[in-house]
Structures are given as C-alpha cells and as structure tokens.
Amino acid sequence: MQLVNKNYRTIKRFHSDLKNRTDRYRTMRQRAIPSLSVCLALVWISVFPNSLFSAESTSPEEAKKTADSYFRDQVAPFVKKYCIECHQNRRPTEAGLSFNPILDSPGDSAFSETWKKSAARVMAHDMPPDGVEQPSDEERLMFQGWLQQAKYLSPKDPGSFVIRRLTKTEYANTLRDLFEVSTDVADSLPDEVAGEGYMNSLSPLQIEQYLLISEEVLRRVFPQDDEKILQSHQRLFQQAPPSPNDADQTLQHILNSFAKKAFRRPLNANEQATLLDVFELGTANNLSYIDSIKLVLKAIMVSPQFLFITPADFSESDAKIIPLDDYQLASRLSYLLWLTLPDAELMDLADQGTLHNPAILESQISRLISDPKSAALFDGFGAQWLGIQDLQTKTFDAEKFPQIDTNYRRAMYMEASLFFQSVIRENLITRDLLDSDYTFINGSLAGIYGKSDTITGEEMQRVKLDDPNRGGIISMPAVLACTSFPDRTSPVIRGVWVLEKILGQHVPSAPPDVPALGKQEGTASQTLTLRELTERHRSDPVCANCHRLLDPIGFGLENYDAIGQWRSKDENGRPIDPSGTLPDGSSFNQPSDLKQLLKMRNHEFARNLTERLMAYALCRRLEGYDAIVIDELMQSIADDDYRIQTIIRSVVTSYPFTHRKIE
C-alpha cells in the first residue's frame, strides 16, 4: 500500500505539471452554431465567389492600405449607423455581442467568426431588425465584401499553439511503435470526436484508463518467465540487464534513449530527476531491477510529456513568435502523416538540428508519404473530412439492407481509404478525387459496381470503372451511406455534404421546430416522390432559401440508394429525376454531369481541402492571418496543377506549421 501511495503521488506530480502547461496554452474557443437566418447569405455568396474582392495581385502593403480604407470609409460608418445602437459596451448587450472592441481592432483574429456571422445576418436581412432603419442592398453587399478585406489587417501571426492530447489512434500507434504491442491494447479507450482541434481535458477516469493500459502493456512486454524477461529488456533497450554495479549507468542509458523516444525529445534535468526518483521509489520498496524499471516505464506512459503533444522548450523568450525547434517539427510532421511518434531518422535529423532546412524537410515529407505508414493520414484526416469516421457504428435498416454487416462496413471504409491513399501516392490532382476511372472493391462491394462475376473474396482489389456515374468520392458507397438516413436517402444531407466537404461553404442547421419531411406532409409521403415532397416543403419561405441551393445537388445523387446502390426508380416505383439547375444557372441531367460541374470548380475544392488539412495539422480553426497564408499557398498549388502532394508539402512548410507564438 505504501508503494502504491508513493507511486500515485509521483504520477500526480506529472499531472500537476500537465495542468500548469495546459493552463498556459489552452486556446480552444467555443463557437455558437449560426441560425437559419444566414441561409440567404449562403445563396448570395455562392453566386459571388471569393475572388470578387481578391487582393492577391497586389503587394501586402497595398492590400493592407486598401483594407484599412475600406474599413474606415465604409464598414465602420455602416456599423455605427446600423449596429452600434444595440451592440455596444453596455448591459445587457444585445445577443451578447458588442462592436466596440471590434471597431478598435477590426483585423484581430479573435473577431474573424464575428465578422462572418454578422455579414451573413446582414445579407439575410435578419439584421438590422424590423422597425429600424434598413441599409440598401448595395450597402449590404459592401458589408459582406468586408470578409475578403479583413484578413489584410491581420498581423503576421502563426496562431495559437495548441497543446493537445494524443487521439485514441495516435496513442495506440505510439504504444505499438514503442513497445511492439498490438494497437488493440488501447481498445478500452472511448472513441473521440474528430475535427479541427482536439480535447485537452484529462479526467480522473481517463487517468485510471491510462494506468490500466500501461499495466497491460508491461504485462505483454515483460512475461513472467525470467529468460523471456531478459530478452524483452534486450529488445526494448538494446542492451542486457546490468549487473548491480552497472544499474545506474544502464538506467541513464534508458533515460537518454527510450524516454527520449517516448517524449519525442531529450529530457530536461527535472524530468530526468523525476524518473530517477521513481526508480529509487521501487528499489526502496525492495522491488527488483526489472520491476523498478517497469515502474519507470509506467510513469513515462502516464506522463503529460507522453500523452500530450507539447513544445520542447517552455523557457521564457523575448520573442513573441519563434520557429518550432526540430524535435517539435519532427513530432508535428510524424503525427500528421503517420499518426505516431517520429522514427529514428527524424530524431537523428532533429538531434543534428537540420530538419528545418527546407531541402531536408522536403525530402522527409516525400519519405513519409511514400512509406506505408502514411495510410494513417486517411484514418486521422481523410475519414473525418469525408464524414465516414462513424461508419462502423452507423445504423441501417436491417430489413431493407440485410447485406450490411461488419465485413460490408469494413469494405466500404477500405474502399475510401485505399482510393485516398492512391491519389496521394500517385500524386494525382485534386479533381481526380471527385471523378476517377478506378476504385478498390472486394466481393462484398462487387454487386454495387456490377463486378460480381469477376471480383470475389474479401481482399480489396483495384478495378477499372466504365460507368461515368461511378468513380470518385462523391459516388462512393461509404459517403452515400453516411449521408443517408437508416432507411432512405436524404437529398438535403447530401446537398450539405457537397457544399461543405467539396466547396467549403458553411450551411447552418435547420431550426428545431421544423418537423421531419414525412410528418410534415402526412399521407402525401406515401404517394409523392421525395423530390415532390421536398418541393412542397420548400414552398415555406422559412425553408425555401436553403433548399434552393441544397436540393438540386442532393437530387442529382438520388439514383444512389441509402447504401450507394444504383436505382432508376424510388421505393414507390416512381421514376427518379436526377436533373437540376444550380444558382449560377448551370444544369445537369445525371450524377456524372454533376461531377463534371464540380470539377470545373476545382480551385474552390482545392482551397477547401488545403484549409481543412491546415486546420487539422494545426489542431485549430483557421482565422485572421491564416487566410493570407492560404492565399499564398494556393498560388503555388495552382501553379503545380493542384497536385495533392503539393498541398501536403505546402501545409507542412507553411509559416503557421513551422512557427509558434509565445503566450
């Protein structure tokens, strides 16, 4: 009991250190979901692309001067005339928003979301409210145009550095590569919500789980057999257990090699002293050398330096912005592309202080991409971008889709993963993600693609596609299934998916008081097609604005049922009409036509993909100066025909990825 109490106190010291660090670096902000009133603004913005107010062709100084004049001469007077009366520094402040600090610092990245939401409400005629003086349409458009100007007032800033906990997958992969154990050792951890940024919290329950997992790792690594214990020590630390006289020297070697690998950087003096204290705690309680080492390993596995991605140097600095040191750069790169700790080559380069060299960094990016471990990029980024990360637990109607079992779900997921990997490995261009003449299937998926006669078994195989309505992420069963209800398709969800995942637009949720489509239409839902039901639904002006944009896209994909099978008639036997017209006037007659229209907007798609990858890599939302960085990256990405590896390289070598702010 005494040993357990001391062990607990030692581990508690690590987590006290964790709290001090995370308190200094916590930067995640909660943002409210915009209301339905921004729908009209979405339609308007879709007609007027971002380039309408672009300043990419001017110098940074000229762009900043133009933006400053734009704000001073037009935006500030607009806010003072139509907004400040209600939204100012007084109590109560309307809707919790005051424009006083925003008017003082319009380019501050903290206000990026406020400008976006405010412009959307103004464009939707939701603000100013009825009963007060209203701006003209020209004034509203001017205010919306400020969104493309505000970024030029942002100071050069890599953004907040987010200390984050390893995700479940990263944690499992890291244990695998440290101890050569199966990743199933971490299966007891709960699944986590993926997205821009990560949870920094660490609850008592999670601490207990990490302790239990560390004990299971040690049980697998060090079996009871004495001879095998010796072999495990040799394999883990690259040297045999020491004699009693050499124990201190061997322990120092472990701290300088294994602990360094676990922490992804050399240990500082305090960290070394703490781990030495843990070892001495074991020997003082008459534990053997091996058991004392196991206690040290347990302390490493539950320490914040292991569980969290942190800067290597927390020392005070006169500089407000500094480059990442090479160890931190190695970790960022490795956890982005491999979802695990840096390998020996990356650590050697960090030891030499040469990883930040542009030529060396570029070569390492290529090496990591070409390695099979880069398949993890889909598990970390690709799956959550496509919205299929929960495919294994999604509910399907068992009567309508009896074929959906564990193997079928896995095949759908693996098709998307292997396709994503192939586009990266072959360095294809972004529009190849939207439309391709090949995919990866096995016997489970063969029926969907009309390949049952030639493809059998569970092994995934690359196959050529002849049907223009197939190929690319939009028509993949995994995506189509995850954008449907359990028993039927959803044109609205699919329309939102295309707008958000492909074109990078933001679509708000429907208001909570809008009933489900079937309930809203009563018995008509039994006789009308889904398109007819939805057209009646959008006759309501509250629903119309969003649906004019969403519905044509969603109905363009109606030939695919709720699990991605092709059909020409709906469940009631009525012919499916997949034709539609987009707000810009372009029209299509079938899914292949819709894909071609989306491919014509490849620049928007590539920018959206770049922004999402950047946000994922930085673990935070993009704001302020990030927009200028993306503008610059898109020029070089476009020059290389939007190749996917160029996007990855651009993100990894970018200013926000390679620098951090001292806070």
Side-chain angles (χ1 to χ4, degrees):
M1 181 60 69
Q2 182 183 14
L3 173 60
V4 172
N5 289 338
K6 289 184 178 179
N7 189 10
Y8 174 77
R9 287 197 298 271
T10 302
I11 292 172
K12 189 175 180 180
R13 289 173 57 187
F14 281 90
H15 291 283
S16 176
D17 183 34
L18 159 67
K19 184 178 186 303
N20 292 334
R21 293 166 185 252
T22 54
D23 283 348
R24 293 174 58 191
Y25 283 86
R26 180 170 286 113
T27 58
M28 302 306 294
R29 302 181 178 94
Q30 297 295 324
R31 291 179 171 85
I33 298 175
S35 69
L36 183 65
S37 60
V38 304
C39 288
L40 180 59
L42 292 170
V43 179
W44 192 300
I45 293 171
S46 72
V47 178
F48 294 95
N50 291 339
S51 60
L52 182 63
F53 299 97
S54 175
E56 293 180 7
S57 60
T58 62
S59 68
E61 294 76 15
E62 292 173 333
K64 183 175 181 179
K65 183 177 180 180
T66 299
D68 185 68
S69 298
Y70 192 104
F71 177 78
R72 185 179 61 253
D73 299 339
Q74 300 184 67
V75 179
F78 180 97
V79 171
K80 293 175 181 178
K81 182 177 181 180
Y82 298 111
C83 311
I84 202 69
E85 177 62 28
C86 296
H87 299 284
Q88 59 179 295
N89 284 343
R90 68 184 183 192
R91 296 185 183 278
T93 300
E94 294 290 333
L97 170 63
S98 171
F99 270 106
N100 291 120
I102 303 176
L103 289 175
D104 293 336
S105 303
D108 194 307
S109 61
F111 304 132
S112 296
E113 284 296 302
T114 302
W115 284 125
K116 292 177 183 178
K117 293 177 181 178
S118 299
R121 286 182 174 273
V122 168
M123 291 302 296
H125 290 244
D126 187 36
M127 285 290 167
D130 294 338
V132 300
E133 184 178 1
Q134 299 292 312
S136 66
D137 288 343
E138 290 76 13
E139 288 177 303
R140 292 180 189 272
L141 181 59
M142 175 281 301
F143 189 67
Q144 189 271 333
W146 168 242
L147 295 180
Q148 295 305 314
Q149 295 288 323
K151 61 188 176 185
Y152 297 110
L153 296 185
S154 301
K156 188 174 183 179
D157 182 359
S160 299
F161 185 95
V162 178
I163 284 186
R164 66 167 180 88
R165 178 165 44 83
L166 295 178
T167 66
K168 177 179 178 178
T169 302
E170 290 171 336
Y171 174 72
N173 290 347
T174 302
L175 290 177
R176 175 200 65 200
D177 293 341
L178 266 179
F179 294 97
E180 298 181 8
V181 295
S182 171
T183 56
D184 65 7
V185 74
D187 283 352
S188 61
L189 288 176
D191 293 328
E192 299 173 307
V193 177
E196 300 161 350
Y198 295 82
M199 295 298 294
N200 286 348
S201 62
L202 197 62
S203 68
L205 177 59
Q206 287 171 307
I207 294 175
E208 290 294 329
Q209 288 179 306
Y210 285 131
L211 283 168
L212 292 174
I213 292 172
S214 68
E215 291 170 357
E216 174 60 20
V217 169
L218 294 176
R219 188 191 67 78
R220 296 186 186 186
V221 173
F222 294 100
Q224 294 299 317
D225 183 276
D226 290 343
E227 184 64 30
K228 291 183 178 179
I229 285 180
L230 298 178
Q231 294 174 0
S232 296
H233 188 286
Q234 177 80 38
R235 186 185 76 251
L236 204 59
F237 307 126
Q238 303 301 310
Q239 63 178 221
S243 64
N245 294 332
D246 296 331
D248 289 344
Q249 182 178 355
T250 303
L251 177 60
Q252 196 63 49
H253 167 76
I254 293 173
L255 296 182
N256 291 335
S257 59
F258 186 84
K260 174 185 174 182
K261 184 178 180 182
F263 287 1
R264 284 85 69 175
R265 57 172 174 77
L267 279 65
N268 60 40
N270 288 335
E271 291 163 344
Q272 289 203 28
T274 300
L275 292 178
L276 288 171
D277 287 346
V278 173
F279 182 81
E280 292 174 1
L281 175 68
T283 57
N285 283 270
N286 299 318
L287 294 183
S288 67
Y289 167 81
I290 290 293
D291 287 337
S292 296
I293 287 295
K294 288 164 66 176
L295 199 59
V296 172
L297 295 178
K298 182 186 293 187
I300 288 174
M301 282 187 277
V302 297
S303 69
Q305 294 89 332
F306 176 74
L307 296 175
F308 284 71
I309 303 289
T310 66
D313 181 13
F314 287 90
S315 61
E316 297 297 327
S317 172
D318 293 333
K320 294 183 178 180
I321 296 173
I322 62 174
L324 292 183
D325 69 78
D326 280 21
Y327 294 107
Q328 181 61 32
L329 185 56
S331 287
R332 264 197 169 176
L333 177 59
S334 184
Y335 277 102
L336 171 65
L337 297 181
W338 284 357
L339 270 66
T340 190
L341 46 71
D343 66 355
E345 184 169 336
L346 280 174
M347 290 299 287
D348 287 344
L349 291 171
D351 287 340
Q352 299 165 23
T354 58
L355 182 58
H356 67 279
N357 179 289
I360 292 178
L361 181 57
E362 288 270 359
S363 68
Q364 288 301 304
I365 296 171
S366 297
R367 181 178 72 86
L368 267 64
I369 288 176
S370 62
D371 191 282
K373 284 185 179 179
S374 65
L377 181 59
F378 181 82
D379 298 324
F381 168 71
Q384 63 96 0
W385 163 48
L386 296 180
I388 67 171
Q389 68 272 27
D390 298 324
L391 179 61
Q392 299 305 314
T393 57
K394 180 178 171 60
T395 300
F396 294 95
D397 188 315
E399 292 186 6
K400 290 186 176 181
F401 308 110
Q403 66 269 57
I404 301 294
D405 58 14
T406 300
N407 291 334
Y408 201 96
R409 293 171 189 264
R410 180 182 178 278
M412 288 195 290
Y413 183 91
M414 287 306 301
E415 177 192 14
S417 176
L418 291 170
F419 177 72
F420 184 81
Q421 294 173 47
S422 73
V423 172
I424 294 177
R425 184 175 58 253
E426 298 169 29
N427 197 21
L428 303 182
I429 57 182
T430 49
R431 63 172 174 264
D432 290 324
L433 284 165
L434 300 177
D435 189 25
S436 70
D437 63 355
Y438 73 94
T439 191
F440 296 83
I441 63 174
N442 63 4
S444 296
L445 297 181
I448 283 184
Y449 288 94
K451 304 286 186 180
S452 298
D453 295 339
T454 56
I455 304 297
T456 59
E458 294 303 314
E459 182 180 355
M460 301 296 292
Q461 304 175 46
R462 179 166 176 159
V463 298
K464 184 173 178 57
L465 300 175
D466 300 318
D467 184 353
N469 289 311
R470 290 294 185 183
I473 56 177
I474 298 173
S475 59
M476 280 191 173
V479 170
L480 295 165
C482 287
T483 53
S484 297
F485 293 119
D487 60 340
R488 68 169 177 85
T489 60
S490 173
V492 172
I493 296 177
R494 288 178 175 176
V496 170
W497 186 92
V498 170
L499 289 174
E500 293 186 340
K501 304 294 187 180
I502 303 300
L503 299 180
Q505 298 182 14
H506 300 278
V507 182
S509 301
D513 56 344
V514 174
L517 195 61
K519 294 181 180 179
Q520 187 180 31
E521 300 298 341
T523 57
S525 63
Q526 305 299 319
T527 58
L528 299 179
T529 66
L530 193 55
R531 177 186 280 267
E532 291 168 338
L533 282 173
T534 306
E535 288 175 348
R536 289 180 58 172
H537 170 75
R538 77 181 189 191
S539 63
D540 184 340
V542 176
C543 307
N545 290 325
C546 277
H547 282 280
R548 289 194 186 100
L549 184 60
L550 303 175
D551 292 351
I553 298 173
F555 284 116
L557 302 174
E558 264 297 278
N559 283 121
Y560 309 107
D561 72 5
I563 64 169
Q565 300 175 122
W566 183 265
R567 60 183 184 170
S568 57
K569 296 182 179 180
D570 64 15
E571 294 179 344
N572 296 325
R574 303 284 298 276
I576 290 174
D577 178 9
S579 63
T581 302
L582 300 178
D584 63 0
S586 57
S587 60
F588 55 88
N589 294 311
Q590 57 184 344
S592 60
D593 298 336
L594 177 59
K595 288 196 294 184
Q596 296 306 312
L597 291 177
L598 292 173
K599 286 169 63 177
M600 293 172 62
R601 301 177 72 168
N602 188 42
H603 183 83
E604 293 172 70
F605 173 48
R607 185 184 180 99
N608 177 47
L609 184 59
T610 304
E611 290 175 343
R612 287 177 176 272
L613 183 61
M614 178 74 81
Y616 173 80
L618 300 177
C619 309
R620 62 171 176 80
R621 291 193 179 203
L622 302 187
E623 52 191 12
Y625 185 76
D626 296 326
I628 296 179
V629 172
I630 296 296
D631 287 344
E632 294 172 349
L633 298 188
M634 289 310 300
Q635 294 183 41
S636 59
I637 291 170
D639 289 343
D640 197 33
D641 202 22
Y642 304 101
R643 295 197 175 275
I644 195 72
Q645 288 189 19
T646 302
I647 291 179
I648 296 174
R649 287 191 178 89
S650 297
V651 167
V652 171
T653 58
S654 69
Y655 177 73
F657 191 90
T658 57
H659 290 72
R660 69 180 178 95
K661 182 164 56 177
I662 303 294
E663 298 183 279

